[in-house]
């Protein structure tokens, strides 16, 4: 290890220690042990008989030590690595971040340890830990890394797991901020059930436990994938498996928090382990990225590289405008439009069901909430689509419909495309956390991960049920919209999810009937390729029946009025008629293709008009 890497590792260890001390401060209620800042009761050193003041003073002192360590890192980066921007600029950013962290600490004291300030303080500390992990790992790799290296599929899975863990840690902080850690006396059940009633008092706790279960599955899956695919890189396997083991221990300690009525040692160990897991997963992501960069290019396979000239090559954009358009094309704007069509009506419906909604809605605030939810959703969908373009660039080159996309057309360098997608995903999460709420942010992150990991990486090339299961990602926007307004997920939101979920197979299979030869050429096992036209048209008809049935159940459960009921019946009847006609003509290839095109176009109108009816009905309720 060179001297920069040694100091980075020392600073990282100090930062993890500071997070642990911060938990002790919270667990012992010592946050206001020093009610002023930067002094403590007007003194540099507190009185010896004031334990809480000493705990807070130690926390502040360690923070000062980290400040000097990070200044040292910046100096060493300038002296030893001024020609390495990947080290120099993150080191400078760390100086700014530690200054911001100090300001947040002062604000936390000034605001009396308010929940929001404590959560923001923890979030910035974890970001600092992640940045120090990056610097520690990056300093161990060569300054110049040539070529594109191997596939970054595992890196993407690791990055999503890391982001999900970060979100979970914020959920935990939110539980503490809302004083809802002990709303249930039992564990792992909640008042004897896994699905308790969600109220304002219980929602933070319930969602934290559910999020922990989801993230636990993701961490375990990452460990399994690492064990199966990364045997040639023992460090990656050790980090992934170690994170999974620590996560299981952390879950048990989380249960001990409830059973011991928030004993101080359980609170401290729970978050300290969480910070260590976050650091390990961040290290896994960065290590995986640079390990793939220095590895030989992967052989032509499902994850093979597509040779390209990048944005500066003869096949790439030649102007700034062309480059901008190419990056916009990576986000697949038309798909984003369709996803967001379902978000705003769900928000309107959720607003109707808020307590006191009959007294009127604060429209300026509501419009602002809609605006930021749409911005966050657009960034999230663009992130998922850009990463999907990176992962599917080999098969996109083989399909007539997709070979003009930026990556197969050599308009964007693959590595820049995936970094662009990851950056959009990070920005979407920040927007949703800051301007909307944590629940909506977690669901947004889940949608990105489900589309990238479950659909694109695991299902698309392996099973004809890819679009059925993978369609859950596209069905989450109305749930996100609902959560943006209410902060939780209730039964009407679940039904909106199911409506889009069952709409997706008829919509997408109708398109795949038209371009089945493309999928066959690319080796993608879409249903028309694997099962043939007759079976595909039969499945379209069956899923259409389920979709229409869900639309009618929504009318009853969500207490919708005549406007929605009329739209659901009429639009559903047209959909059923077209699906039935397609099924009846399924043995004729020419007729089925023409019918599939009509059904595909109508399915877009169906979803748009039905959700428009949801919004209008919620605003102008006409009883049936």
């Amino acid at each position: 290890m060179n001297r920069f890497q040694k100091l980075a590792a020392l600073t990282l260890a100090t930062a993890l220690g500071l997070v642990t001390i911060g938990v002790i401060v919270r667990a012992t209620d010592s946050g206001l042990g020093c009610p002023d800042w930067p002094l403590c009761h007007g003194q540099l050193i507190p009185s010896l008989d004031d334990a809480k003041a000493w705990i807070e003073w130690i926390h502040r002192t360690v923070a000062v030590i980290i400040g000097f360590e990070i200044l040292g890192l910046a100096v060493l980066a300038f002296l030893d690595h001024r020609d390495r921007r990947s080290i120099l600029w993150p080191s400078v950013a760390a100086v700014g971040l530690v200054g911001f962290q100090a300001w947040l600490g002062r604000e936390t004291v000034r605001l009396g340890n308010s929940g929001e300030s404590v959560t923001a303080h923890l979030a910035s500390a974890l970001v600092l830990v992640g940045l120090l992990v990056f610097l520690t790992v990056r300093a161990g790799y060569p300054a110049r890394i040539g070529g594109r290296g191997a596939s970054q599929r595992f890196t993407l899975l690791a990055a999503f797991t890391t982001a999900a863990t970060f979100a979970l840690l914020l959920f935990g902080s939110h539980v503490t901020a809302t004083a809802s850690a002990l709303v249930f006396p039992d564990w792992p059940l909640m008042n004897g059930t896994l699905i308790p009633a969600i109220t304002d008092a219980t929602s933070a706790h319930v969602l934290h436990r559910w999020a922990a279960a989801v993230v636990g599955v993701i961490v375990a899956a990452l460990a399994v994938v690492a064990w199966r695919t990364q045997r040639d890189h023992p460090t990656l396997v050790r980090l992934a498996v170690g994170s999974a083991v620590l996560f299981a221990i952390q879950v048990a300690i989380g249960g001990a928090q409830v059973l011991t009525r928030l004993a101080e040692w359980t609170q401290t160990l729970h978050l300290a382990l969480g910070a260590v897991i976050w650091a390990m997963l961040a290290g896994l992501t960065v290590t995986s990225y640079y390990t793939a960069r220095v590895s030989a290019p992967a052989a032509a396979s499902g994850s093979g590289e597509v040779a390209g000239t990048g944005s500066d090559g003869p096949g790439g954009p030649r102007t700034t405008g062309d480059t901008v358009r190419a990056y916009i094309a990576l986000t697949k704007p038309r798909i984003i439009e369709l996803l967001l069509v379902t978000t705003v009506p769900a928000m309107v419906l959720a607003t109707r069901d808020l307590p006191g909604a009959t007294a009127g809605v604060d429209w300026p605030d509501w419009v602002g909430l809609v605006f930021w939810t749409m911005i966050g959703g657009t960034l999230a969908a663009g992130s998922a689509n850009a990463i999907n373009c990176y992962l599917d660039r080999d098969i996109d080159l083989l399909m007539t419909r997709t070979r003009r996309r930026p990556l197969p057309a050599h308009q964007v360098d693959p590595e820049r495309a995936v970094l662009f997608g990851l950056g959009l995903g990070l920005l979407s999460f920040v927007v949703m956390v800051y301007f909307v709420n944590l629940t909506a942010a977690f669901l947004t992150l889940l949608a990105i991960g489900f589309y990238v990991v479950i659909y694109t990486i695991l299902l698309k090339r392996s099973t004809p049920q890819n679009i059925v299961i993978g369609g859950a990602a596209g069905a989450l926007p109305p749930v996100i919209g609902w959560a943006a307004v209410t902060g939780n997920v209730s039964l009407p939101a679940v039904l909106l999810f199911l409506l889009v979920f069952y709409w997706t197979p008829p919509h997408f299979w109708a398109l795949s009937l038209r371009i089945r030869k493309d999928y066959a050429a690319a080796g993608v096992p879409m249903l028309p390729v694997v099962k043939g036209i007759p079976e595909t048209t039969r499945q379209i008809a069956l899923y259409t029946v389920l979709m229409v049935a869900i639309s009618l159940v929504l009318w009853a459960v969500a207490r919708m009025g005549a406007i929605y009921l009329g739209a659901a019946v009429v639009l559903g009847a047209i959909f059923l008629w077209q699906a039935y006609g397609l099924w009846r003509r399924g043995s004729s290839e020419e007729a089925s293709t023409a019918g599939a095109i009509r059904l595909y176009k109508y399915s877009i109108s169906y979803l748009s008009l039905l959700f428009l009816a949801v919004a209008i009905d919620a605003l102008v309720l006409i009883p049936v």
Side-chain angles (χ1 to χ4, degrees), residues 154 225-237 288 291:
F154 181 77
V225 173
W227 183 264
R228 290 181 175 178
T229 66
Q230 303 299 318
R231 295 289 186 89
D232 293 337
H233 307 294
T235 300
L236 300 183
V237 176
S288 174
T291 298

Side-chain angles (χ1 to χ4, degrees), residues 307-516:
T309 56
S311 59
D312 296 327
R318 298 179 181 177
T319 68
T320 301
D322 290 335
T323 301
V324 170
R325 283 189 288 272
Y327 276 97
I328 292 175
L330 283 175
T331 67
K332 304 179 184 178
R334 292 184 180 179
I335 295 178
I336 293 177
E337 292 174 5
L338 191 58
L339 291 175
L340 296 181
V341 158
T342 64
T343 304
V344 176
M347 297 180 73
V348 175
L349 182 60
T351 302
R352 188 202 67 181
D353 287 350
L354 283 176
T358 54
V361 176
D362 188 339
W363 287 107
D365 287 348
W366 191 87
V367 171
L369 181 64
V370 170
F371 173 79
W372 288 115
T373 303
M374 297 288 279
I375 292 295
T378 299
L379 291 170
S383 168
N385 289 333
I387 297 172
N388 169 267
C389 284
Y390 167 80
L391 292 168
D392 283 349
R393 63 197 185 281
D394 54 336
I395 59 176
D396 281 349
L397 187 63
L398 303 175
M399 300 172 62
T400 303
R401 184 176 66 97
T402 57
R403 64 180 49 162
R404 293 183 180 274
R405 286 178 177 172
L407 288 178
H410 306 159
Q411 296 172 339
V412 177
D413 182 84
E415 185 173 305
R416 293 179 181 177
V418 73
L419 291 176
F420 173 67
L422 290 172
L424 288 180
L426 176 61
L427 185 57
S428 73
F429 182 75
V430 171
V431 167
M432 296 298 282
V433 168
Y434 189 80
F435 293 104
V436 186
N437 60 55
L438 192 55
T439 304
F442 181 80
L443 289 170
T444 301
L445 182 63
L446 183 63
I448 296 173
F450 204 94
Y451 184 74
V452 171
V453 178
I454 303 300
Y455 172 66
T456 305
I457 295 179
L458 299 180
L459 298 177
K460 184 170 182 178
R461 307 185 193 207
S462 61
T463 172
Q465 293 300 307
N466 46 23
I467 198 62
V468 178
I469 303 170
L476 279 172
V479 184
I480 294 169
W482 187 281
V485 173
T486 65
N488 57 49
V489 178
S490 56
L491 186 56
V494 174
L495 289 172
L496 289 171
F497 169 86
L498 291 175
L499 178 59
V500 182
F501 181 81
Y502 285 115
W503 167 86
T504 304
H507 166 74
F508 201 87
W509 282 335
L511 173 64
S512 65
L513 279 170
R514 177 186 177 186
I515 58 174
R516 58 191 177 276

